[in-house]
């Protein structure tokens, strides 16, 4: 996770936040399917580390993205509300995945989780402007 956050920050500052968000989100989808197929404990450890980088690396860009998207007067409020609403929505995720796996199958649960990441990719592509290098208000 820590290396993913560092890598995301370095790449986002050099290339731009939006393309790196998309890259890490695609990486999360791919790693989700790879991780779900691994059975060996050593492989699970290494694949899990790579998955953690992809899934959690985007945390490095959330603050910068929100800082650039809102004027100074609303910035702190917007960041806190959006970040914590996201945490509240994501918190029951492990329970939801477990419930789906118990009721249907592990494959269905992983597919639904992957769908969430795919929706994130579309939201990033169509709803998030690239603001790298823009003057803050």
């Amino acid at each position: 996770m820590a290396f993913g956050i560092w890598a995301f920050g370095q790449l986002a500052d050099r290339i731009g936040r939006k393309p790196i968000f998309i890259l890490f989100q695609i990486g999360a989808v791919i790693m989700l399917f790879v991780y779900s197929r691994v059975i060996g404990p050593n492989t699970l450890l290494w694949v899990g580390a790579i998955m953690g980088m992809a899934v959690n690396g985007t945390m490095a860009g959330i603050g910068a993205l929100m800082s650039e998207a809102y004027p100074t007067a609303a910035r702190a409020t917007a960041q806190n509300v959006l970040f914590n609403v996201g945490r509240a929505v994501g918190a029951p995720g492990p329970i939801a995945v477990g419930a789906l796996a118990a009721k249907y199958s592990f494959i269905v649960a992983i597919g639904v989780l992957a769908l969430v990441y795919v929706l994130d990719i579309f939201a990033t592509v169509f709803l998030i402007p690239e603001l790298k290098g823009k003057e803050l208000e």
Side-chain angles (χ1 to χ4, degrees):
M1 178 179 171
F3 183 75
I5 290 170
W6 176 82
F8 183 99
Q10 295 297 314
L11 292 168
D13 284 347
R14 288 176 174 77
I15 298 169
R17 285 129 186 58
K18 187 173 180 174
I20 300 306
F21 265 107
I22 294 166
L23 176 68
F24 271 64
Q25 290 164 337
I26 291 169
V29 171
I30 292 167
M31 290 311 300
L32 175 65
F33 286 111
V34 171
Y35 189 75
S36 71
R37 307 296 292 167
V38 172
I39 55 173
N42 288 333
T43 308
L44 196 63
L45 176 68
W46 291 105
V47 172
I50 296 167
M51 181 175 173
M53 290 169 39
V55 170
N56 297 304
T58 57
M59 289 177 62
I62 292 171
L65 182 73
M66 286 191 276
S67 290
E68 294 169 342
Y70 294 95
T72 303
R75 188 169 299 137
T77 301
Q79 284 181 317
N80 283 303
V81 168
L82 292 172
F83 186 76
N84 288 303
V85 165
R87 287 177 55 203
V89 169
I95 295 169
V97 170
L100 286 169
K103 183 166 177 122
Y104 299 104
S105 70
F106 181 69
I107 293 170
V108 169
I110 294 300
V112 169
L113 186 54
L115 181 62
V116 170
Y117 283 118
V118 171
L119 291 173
D120 277 349
I121 294 167
F122 281 107
T124 301
V125 168
F126 295 111
L127 300 175
I128 306 294
E130 175 58 65
L131 299 169
K132 179 182 177 276
K134 296 231 175 171
E135 190 77 24
L136 295 177
E137 290 182 35

